[in-house]
Structure formats: structure tokens, C-alpha cells
């Protein structure tokens, strides 16, 4: 399915589920919406932490259309599920945010790591994921936005496959780019048995085998996590797993 | 000379000239300073036009230190010459901006294309430059910042060398990255005999020979040009050719 068709179905309220394996070959993206008052600080946070926050598009204040990556999309209706935070507390999980939208809202669209999986599989790489983990790496702060980097981890069964995964992901800075760490998880404060969200379905994975190499990538939940911690009067994101699909093929993002 | 030593000499007022061939192997950078009120729009302009505005660092409001790329530098004193624009008019060309500095100033440091030359020369590429040209390509606008992309042009005497220049520059998105156009200048509205600034010393170059291939890169004068046109109450930049040197080796910016 093309992203445009999928967005139409979502807009009509006919799909509110998770977006795994939708729109094959296309980029999937995270959403973060903040009032204009906080937009400079949040944009600078993204610029300062590109491994966590690969910017694909930023809207003009009040305009719900991401003109660069999906000009006919409406970010208020085209994601299956949203989360609305007020002063850091989750207040609502609506299927659209029309009633919350304001003239001073700025939306940030951030590349999601999931689009790397087909690339890894396309190169015959074997790997397993362990979920999202909190590290001890401090993000570059900006205004009220500060906190520790979250990462995704993938375990590869050979050094050759790990090296190839570095090469492939390096080509896609818009999808978090190269890994931020390789090897011993404890060096960055991670215990693979502990995931950021207890609801994470990939939690409680088998511990790494002796031959397995752990690679860690910046995770798009980081900006969401720091925005929650900043306790803005209002902050809106997509609900985990309920992503936005722009009109951008993964291969269009390849840097080289 | 190391950037730190050079900055010290400039800070003491002992050097106010152009910075060609200073600090070999290091990145050189453009400066743009806007009041916080305009910082979101200007930052978004940079994000939307990465070929013109490769962000190396953005300061916190009021802080003259670029913490990411030269933490002990002072952007008010460490460039040889500045330009101060008021409502779009050039008002002053001081050797420091201490008396203009305000608590709400945000400084943007943008990678400059000059650091590519040693890389091209290091790969034995032959080329000549024709100066800075205005194209008919509209930049992605943001708030009051809009206008046509400026480019630098380099002529290569063989296709092999042109291809190699694409490969090499693609590795450095922080130095404007890959070319934005190859070949016929008129396609992007450029006449190589016409340069953006009549003061440009490389103006009136010999026209391209039949074997020469023109490559065009986004130019760091673009954000300066759109900021002037936006006629902000105050806007400060470096004076052309009087660059800032951060503690960053060119090779540190290589993306792959």
C-alpha cells in the first residue's frame, strides 16, 4: 500500500492499530508536537542530538501539513493513535487530535528506526532485537529538554554481519544513522534484560550468546521521553507503534 | 596553527585579515547571529536547506560560546571581522561585536565550503572556481527567511575528476555535502560571468572550456543573504573571507 492510501484509511477512522509491515519500502516516522513557545528549544534539541532525533520535516506554526515529506497529509488525523500529555501526565490517547490542535502548534516528524529492518534483511543479515533501553549517555540539552539517550539494540550472530550493519545504517542519517555503541551494553549503562517500557513486547529476551555482537542505535523515543520530562503544558506524540507514513521511500534517504 | 592559537591572536586584535590558508586541515565556518525572537525561524530555515546551511553548532541564547565545536571560544571576539546589519542595512564592520552583544542573541555556526579544497587537492583533482552565483532555485522558506539559493561553482577538466568530486563532497554534509547541480549553469539560472558580489575577486573568469564540467554546491552566503533581505532589526555575520575556526578537523566531519 502507498502511504497516501494508508493515510486516507487512517483519516477515515478505519484503522487504529499498530503499523508494523504497512507500506513496505517506505519510511516510517515518529511525531512530536509542541507549542511555538517551545519550538526553538525542541528544534535545537533535535539538531544537537541527530542520532536520537533525525528530523525529516518540521511544520510551520499552526499548519498540520508536513509540506516537505507529505504535502497532502494532515498530522491531526493521519496517525492511527496519539498521546496527549499535559504537564507531563498522559491525559488522552485519541485517534485524532483535531480538538486539541492550536494555531501555535509546531509538529516535528522524526525518522524511525524500523525502516532499517528490511534493509538488513535485504542484505541477508541475521539479527534479533531486544527492545528500547535507557543509557547513561546525557543528550545535549536545550532549554527545558534534557535527559538520557534511549537506544534500540540489535544482536548480530557474526562480526561480518555487525560490520555490514554499521555500513548499511551509516547511509541513512535520517533513520538514526550509524550505531552509537558496539559491544558491552554496560559501558553505556544498559542491561539488556531491562527495557524502557515494561509494556515492550520484546522484553525478556534471551541473553546474548557468546558469538553475538550488540549494536546500539539512537532511538526516536528519546525526544518523546525528554518532552514528557519537561512537563510542558501540552505535548502530543504518536502512540508507540502507531506511526506516520510520509511519501518517502527509504532509498530516497540514502546519503551516499 | 591550531584553531585555539589562531582564535587567541584574533581575540587580542592582532589579526583582522582574511583567513585563507589558516589552520590547515581544520574546518572553517560562517557565522550568523539573530535575536531569539527570530531564532526558531532561522534554525528551521537552516534545517530545511541543509545544502546551503550546514549547521555545525547553535548557541544558547546570550551565550557567546559554541559549546559543541569550540567550548573556549568567544564568538564576540574570535573572528577577524564582522558585519552588523540593522533593518537590512550594513551599519558597521567591526573587529569585535562586544558592544552589540545582547542577552537574547543566538549564534549559528555553519560549515564553509573552503575546507573541501584541500580534500580535492589531496585527491589530485584539478579544478578552478568561478565565484558565488545566485540561482533561480527557491530555498524552503521559514518565517521571514526566504530567497534564492546561492552556489559556489567549480570547473573540473574531466568527467572522472567531476565524479570523484561528487564522491568526496558527499562524505561531508557539514561542508555543504554533494553538489546540487551538475552541468549547464543556465538550468539553474546561473551565468558564470555574473557573480553575486561584484567585489568577488574571482569574478570575470575565463568561460568554461568544452571539456570542463561545472559542479555547483550550496553556498554559506545564502543564509546571510536571506537574513539581510528579512530586514531584521539587527543581524550580525562574519565579513566574507573572515571566518571562524572551530576545534574540528575536516576529517572529523566525514559522514562515512
Amino acid at each position: 500500500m502507498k502511504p497516501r492510501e494508508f493515510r486516507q484509511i487512517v483519516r477515515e477512522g478505519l484503522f487504529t492499530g499498530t503499523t508494523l509491515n504497512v507500506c513496505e519500502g517506505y519510511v516510517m516516522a515518529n511525531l512530536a508536537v509542541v507549542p511555538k513557545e517551545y519550538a526553538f528549544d525542541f528544534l535545537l534539541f533535535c539538531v544537537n542530538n541527530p542520532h536520537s532525533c533525525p528530523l525529516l520535516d518540521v511544520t510551520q506554526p499552526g499548519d498540520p501539513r508536513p509540506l516537505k515529506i507529505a504535502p497532502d497529509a494532515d498530522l491531526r488525523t493521519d496517525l492511527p493513535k496519539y498521546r496527549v500529555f499535559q504537564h507531563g501526565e498522559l491525559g488522552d490517547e485519541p485517534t485524532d487530535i483535531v480538538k486539541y490542535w492550536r494555531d501555535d502548534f509546531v509538529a516535528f516528524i522524526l525518522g524511525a528506526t524500523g525502516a532499517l529492518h528490511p534493509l538488513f534483511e535485504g542484505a541477508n543479515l541475521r539479527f534479533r532485537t531486544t527492545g528500547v533501553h535507557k543509557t547513561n549517555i546525557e543528550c545535549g540539552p536545550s532549554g527545558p529538554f534534557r535527559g538520557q539517550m534511549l537506544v534500540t539494540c540489535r544482536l548480530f550472530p557474526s562480526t561480518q554481519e555487525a560490520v555490514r550493519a554499521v555500513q548499511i545504517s551509516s547511509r541513512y542519517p535520517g533513520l538514526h544513522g550509524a550505531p552509537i555503541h558496539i559491544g558491552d551494553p554496560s559501558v553505556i549503562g544498559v542491561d539488556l534484560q531491562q527495557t524502557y517500557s515494561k509494556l515492550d513486547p520484546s522484553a525478556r529476551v534471551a541473553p546474548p550468546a557468546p558469538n553475538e555482537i550488540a549494536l546500539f542505535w539512537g532511538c526516536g523515543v528519546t525526544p518523546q521521553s525528554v518532552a514528557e520530562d519537561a512537563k510542558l503544558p501540552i505535548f502530543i506524540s504518536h502512540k508507540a507503534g502507531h506511526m506516520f507514513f510520509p511519501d518517502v521511500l527509504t532509498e530516497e534517504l540514502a546519503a551516499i
Side-chain angles (χ1 to χ4, degrees), chain A:
Chain A
M1 201 184 299
K2 298 241 180 189
R4 193 177 193 161
E5 295 159 12
F6 179 67
R7 294 196 305 260
Q8 187 59 37
I9 291 169
V10 173
R11 190 179 304 180
E12 290 169 11
L14 303 172
F15 183 90
T16 58
T18 57
T19 50
L20 202 66
N21 299 327
V22 168
C23 303
E24 208 178 324
Y26 283 89
V27 168
M28 57 187 94
N30 299 311
L31 174 71
V33 180
V34 304
K36 171 84 199 292
E37 184 186 351
Y38 301 99
F40 170 72
D41 286 332
F42 193 70
L43 180 54
L44 186 50
F45 182 85
C46 294
V47 167
N48 281 344
N49 299 282
H51 277 281
S52 302
C53 316
L55 282 169
L56 299 182
D57 206 350
V58 182
T59 62
Q60 290 293 308
D63 190 344
R65 297 168 302 160
L67 295 179
K68 202 155 70 175
I69 59 171
D72 69 354
D74 186 329
L75 293 170
R76 300 170 299 184
T77 54
D78 292 2
L79 285 77
K81 214 165 268 179
Y82 300 81
R83 298 188 122 186
V84 179
F85 294 87
Q86 284 160 325
H87 302 285
E89 298 293 321
L90 177 62
D92 195 5
E93 285 198 353
T95 56
D96 74 69
I97 53 169
V98 171
K99 73 170 179 183
Y100 291 103
W101 191 259
R102 297 187 341 206
D103 277 355
D104 68 338
F105 274 3
V106 178
F108 296 75
I109 320 279
L110 307 158
T113 194
L116 281 178
H117 286 185
L119 299 174
F120 289 163
E121 285 154 6
N124 250 340
L125 304 188
R126 298 164 294 165
F127 64 94
R128 59 193 179 99
T129 59
T130 68
V132 174
H133 309 278
K134 191 159 206 164
T135 71
N136 58 15
I137 302 169
E138 284 296 327
C139 293
S142 174
F145 304 106
R146 57 190 63 239
Q148 285 154 339
M149 185 189 277
L150 303 180
V151 291
T152 55
C153 174
R154 295 174 187 83
L155 299 168
F156 294 83
S158 72
T159 48
Q160 293 88 336
E161 283 161 294
V163 167
R164 193 79 187 107
V166 172
Q167 292 175 321
I168 292 170
S169 59
S170 295
R171 297 182 67 221
Y172 302 89
L175 305 175
H176 301 280
I180 59 103
H181 179 63
I182 297 177
D184 184 355
S186 70
V187 171
I188 56 169
V190 167
D191 171 355
L192 293 182
Q193 303 305 302
Q194 302 288 327
T195 56
Y196 175 65
S197 163
K198 288 179 184 71
L199 298 172
D200 194 317
S202 53
R204 284 180 300 280
V205 293
N211 64 308
E212 279 185 314
I213 297 142
L215 267 62
F216 299 85
W217 281 268
C219 172
V221 183
T222 310
Q224 201 168 317
S225 151
V226 301
E228 280 176 45
D229 290 350
K231 301 193 194 310
L232 308 191
I234 188 160
F235 164 71
I236 299 175
S237 72
H238 69 290
K239 182 174 178 179
H242 299 67
M243 319 291 275
F244 177 68
F245 285 83
D247 302 322
V248 180
L249 287 159
T250 304
E251 215 43 42
E252 290 182 71
L253 287 190
I256 303 195

